[in-house]
Amino acid sequence: MLIEHEGLAPTVHPTAYVAPTATLSGDVRVGADCRILFGAVLTAEGGPVELGEGCIVMENAVLRGTRRDALTLGRHVLVGPTSSLTGCTVEDEVFLATGSRVFNGARIGRRSEVRVNGIVHLRTVLPADATVPIGWVAVGDPARILPPNDNGEIWNVQKELDFPGYVFGLDRPAEGESLMPSVSERYGRALGRHREDRQL
């Protein structure tokens, strides 16, 4: 399904394949010889999504560009099933395995691997040829690659990256308070722009 969003429509190179149950919304640019498989969603939420030549996006992956950070894949990148990428830059020849998560402002260097259920956190810079092992977390600039049970060390780096401020423009709430009413109001308002979308 191709959807015009905020006056911008997806463009797909004639040699690319987009499965009939995939969804491309807004300023999405699919390069030569790309393959977008069943159930994948590529959505430009204020910032473009651009795929270089020969990229493969597997089933039910979600790729989202944001106003602050476009989503860019270099050449010959494979995004595994159920992966989620938001507002990040992925350089050439990167493998993102099933269930990988890459967050806003992250950059993944050429020929890197993020293995099954690996995470590259907000504003993290993963150098070329790096590997995030199965289920591990890369966080910071330069990236520290930590096991998922090392919550203390992950948080020591992550808190300085300021997820609520960077992604939602909100201060971290005080102890015993919730950020979610403000997040749902702001994010809901932004996503409400889809009411004006047009299926092509």
Side-chain angles (χ1 to χ4, degrees):
M1 181 182 303
L2 302 180
I3 297 174
E4 181 183 271
H5 176 60
E6 297 190 317
L8 298 171
T11 57
V12 178
H13 192 279
T15 61
Y17 168 75
V18 178
T21 58
T23 301
L24 280 56
S25 173
D27 188 10
V28 175
R29 309 162 196 169
V30 177
D33 298 317
C34 289
R35 306 292 181 254
I36 313 299
L37 296 186
F38 303 91
V41 176
L42 285 66
T43 182
E45 300 293 340
V49 173
E50 185 167 3
L51 279 60
E53 177 184 353
C55 289
I56 298 171
V57 178
M58 300 292 286
E59 295 86 354
N60 300 312
V62 177
L63 283 66
R64 183 183 311 274
T66 71
R67 287 194 185 283
R68 185 170 200 159
D69 297 297
L71 189 148
T72 306
L73 301 186
R75 300 176 59 193
H76 307 293
V77 173
L78 190 147
V79 179
T82 71
S83 293
S84 176
L85 285 65
T86 301
C88 58
T89 300
V90 179
E91 296 181 358
D92 297 348
E93 303 168 27
V94 168
F95 174 60
L96 303 172
T98 299
S100 55
R101 306 286 184 252
V102 184
F103 287 91
N104 308 57
R107 175 178 287 277
I108 298 181
R110 187 174 183 166
R111 295 180 305 274
S112 292
E113 293 186 17
V114 179
R115 296 191 175 154
V116 175
N117 294 326
I119 296 171
V120 179
H121 220 293
L122 178 88
R123 299 166 65 188
T124 292
V125 177
L126 196 64
D129 300 304
T131 298
V132 178
I134 292 172
W136 282 43
V137 179
V139 61
D141 178 10
R144 294 184 62 196
I145 300 173
L146 300 166
N149 61 349
D150 200 348
N151 294 319
E153 280 305 303
I154 292 169
W155 178 242
N156 283 338
V157 180
Q158 181 188 359
K159 68 183 174 186
E160 300 302 320
L161 299 176
D162 187 23
F163 192 98
Y166 189 85
V167 174
F168 300 114
L170 297 168
D171 293 330
R172 195 173 299 282
E175 187 71 29
E177 295 181 4
S178 174
L179 191 67
M180 291 315 298
S182 296
V183 167
S184 63
E185 188 274 328
R186 283 187 183 205
Y187 210 35
R189 185 173 60 240
L191 293 173
R193 295 189 314 263
H194 284 287
R195 286 188 298 252
E196 307 299 323
D197 288 358
R198 185 171 66 92
Q199 187 172 337
L200 303 174

